[in-house]
Amino acid sequence: MTINSRIKMPLGFWDGLRQLGIATQDVVRKARLPLTIITEPVVTTAQYFAIWQAYSNLMDDASKGIIKLATAFETAHYPPSVLTAYHARDYRDALNRMARYKQLCPPEKLLITEEGEDCTIELEWSYTNQPGPPILVGITLAFLLELGRRGTGQPLTANFVEFSHPMGDVKTLEDYFGCPVRIGSNCNRLTLHRRDLDCPFVSYNAELLEILIPVLDQSLGEQQHCRSITEMVKWIIKHSLAGGRPDIQTIAREIGMSNRTLQRRLSEEGTSFKSLLTQTRHDQAREYLRDSSLDIKEVAFLIGYEDQNSFYRAFHLWEGDTPSNWRIEHVGTSPIN
């Protein structure tokens, strides 16, 4: 099983929010994350879900939030994985490419089935036991229809849409999808007219696909190799420190394991969670101290210490010196306290 808790933020996501008149700082604060997350190209699953939930909480109605953001993305801001779909030969080709390359940006997983006059696309979650925020589900399914409309240049409609959770004003969603919308279903599913899948894309670009597809296929192959648990745990700890001191329960939940299984896997790789937490904090402390624009209190916070004195004691154990003196020796600047 490939373990992946690294989520690429959609290219243009923050620009899309600005186009809607939403301050990105408001979303981040609502998500209770550090403002530096805005410049992070990759986040953890928990952070990804928190950002989407914060966006939902800032909207007056979830249905409006779904439609606004699904239609706000300019094609120029599409990431390569979506560009291969937008420039596909037809709608069927586009949907299959979306499902294939969605693996590069979990946690959403698309299951496509063609039967009779219908094509159903069901959304599931991969690499996490926690379902994503309802608004993320809504935007994902809405964008799949938006992709068909933009690619074909036709006002396509869905046949039926099902959501497992409330999505705000159902009438607003039905007007957008052009079909009945059911709330409280046992799945999240978009049902399209199968005949629409044969519609050619006016945006078809064979030359661009010849460039993008080999690169994406190579990335997909590399990702499907199992990563070491140690590497994954360190990465999640690093990106969770500013929110407090992450515990093994949080990390295990992130990568879809029980605490006991995670402890055993780390032991097999010759380490422990406590050791990785200490090592990551130490590494990050050194990195942040090299940035002379950060004062010591900020560094302490960024690596999960609630007070400066605790950080001083820990750093002295690691380096045998104070953070201020270490900074002077290695950066050559006066201490900033």
Side-chain angles (χ1 to χ4, degrees), residues 33 62 69 90 105 113 142 166 176 179 182 189 223-224 238 248 270 279 287 289 316 318 320:
L33 295 172
L69 199 54
D90 53 37
C105 184
T113 304
Y176 175 77
C179 69
R182 177 192 294 168
R189 181 163 54 200
Q223 178 173 293
Q224 289 174 342
K238 175 182 175 181
I248 192 168
Q279 182 182 341
E287 180 178 334
L289 286 171
H316 196 277
W318 299 333

Side-chain angles (χ1 to χ4, degrees), residues 61-64 66-67 160-163 165-184:
D61 183 86
S63 63
K64 294 178 181 178
I66 289 168
I67 296 168
F160 195 60
V161 182
E162 300 165 82
F163 292 118
H165 293 86
M167 293 286 177
D169 183 53
V170 174
K171 180 64 166 58
T172 299
L173 292 174
E174 290 181 335
D175 288 344
Y176 175 77
F177 285 103
C179 69
V181 173
R182 177 192 294 168
I183 303 298

Side-chain angles (χ1 to χ4, degrees), residues 247-260:
D247 54 33
I248 192 168
Q249 289 84 2
T250 302
I251 305 301
R253 186 166 55 249
E254 274 281 341
I255 58 180
M257 287 184 179
S258 67
N259 298 351
R260 181 173 297 182

Side-chain angles (χ1 to χ4, degrees), residues 20-218:
L20 297 179
I22 299 174
T24 55
Q25 295 89 339
D26 290 345
V27 175
V28 174
R29 291 192 182 100
K30 195 76 172 178
R32 303 182 69 179
L33 295 172
L35 290 176
T36 52
I37 204 77
I38 296 173
T39 59
E40 285 283 348
V42 181
V43 298
T44 69
T45 301
Q47 291 169 339
Y48 185 67
F49 285 171
I51 290 169
W52 282 107
Q53 186 59 54
Y55 166 68
S56 179
N57 293 341
L58 289 171
M59 301 302 296
D60 294 333
D61 183 86
S63 63
K64 294 178 181 178
I66 289 168
I67 296 168
K68 283 183 177 180
L69 199 54
T71 57
F73 277 93
E74 298 178 4
T75 54
H77 290 162
Y78 286 169
S81 57
V82 179
L83 281 176
T84 61
Y86 177 66
H87 293 295
R89 184 180 298 276
D90 53 37
Y91 197 11
R92 176 181 288 104
D93 187 25
L95 291 173
N96 287 330
R97 294 190 189 283
M98 281 292 292
R100 174 172 175 76
Y101 296 121
K102 205 75 180 73
Q103 299 175 74
L104 289 170
C105 184
E108 301 104 302
K109 180 181 180 182
L110 305 177
L111 304 177
I112 301 176
T113 304
E114 293 187 47
E115 186 174 349
E117 297 180 353
D118 294 332
C119 170
T120 62
I121 308 172
E122 189 168 340
L123 187 150
E124 293 186 352
W125 304 105
S126 56
Y127 312 120
T128 177
N129 296 322
Q130 177 186 358
I135 200 165
L136 175 57
V137 175
I139 289 171
T140 299
L141 296 189
F143 180 75
L144 293 175
L145 180 60
E146 184 70 20
L147 175 66
R149 289 172 173 172
R150 294 189 184 191
T152 64
Q154 300 180 31
L156 302 180
T157 60
N159 189 27
F160 195 60
V161 182
E162 300 165 82
F163 292 118
S164 59
H165 293 86
M167 293 286 177
D169 183 53
V170 174
K171 180 64 166 58
T172 299
L173 292 174
E174 290 181 335
D175 288 344
Y176 175 77
F177 285 103
C179 69
V181 173
R182 177 192 294 168
I183 303 298
S185 178
N186 60 359
C187 65
N188 296 295
R189 181 163 54 200
L190 170 68
T191 301
L192 300 171
H193 300 284
R194 193 176 183 184
R195 64 177 182 272
D196 290 340
L197 271 58
D198 295 318
C199 293
F201 267 26
V202 295
S203 52
Y204 174 53
N205 188 328
E207 292 77 12
L208 184 60
L209 292 178
E210 288 181 3
I211 297 171
L212 292 177
I213 290 175
V215 176
L216 291 174
D217 283 344
Q218 180 179 352

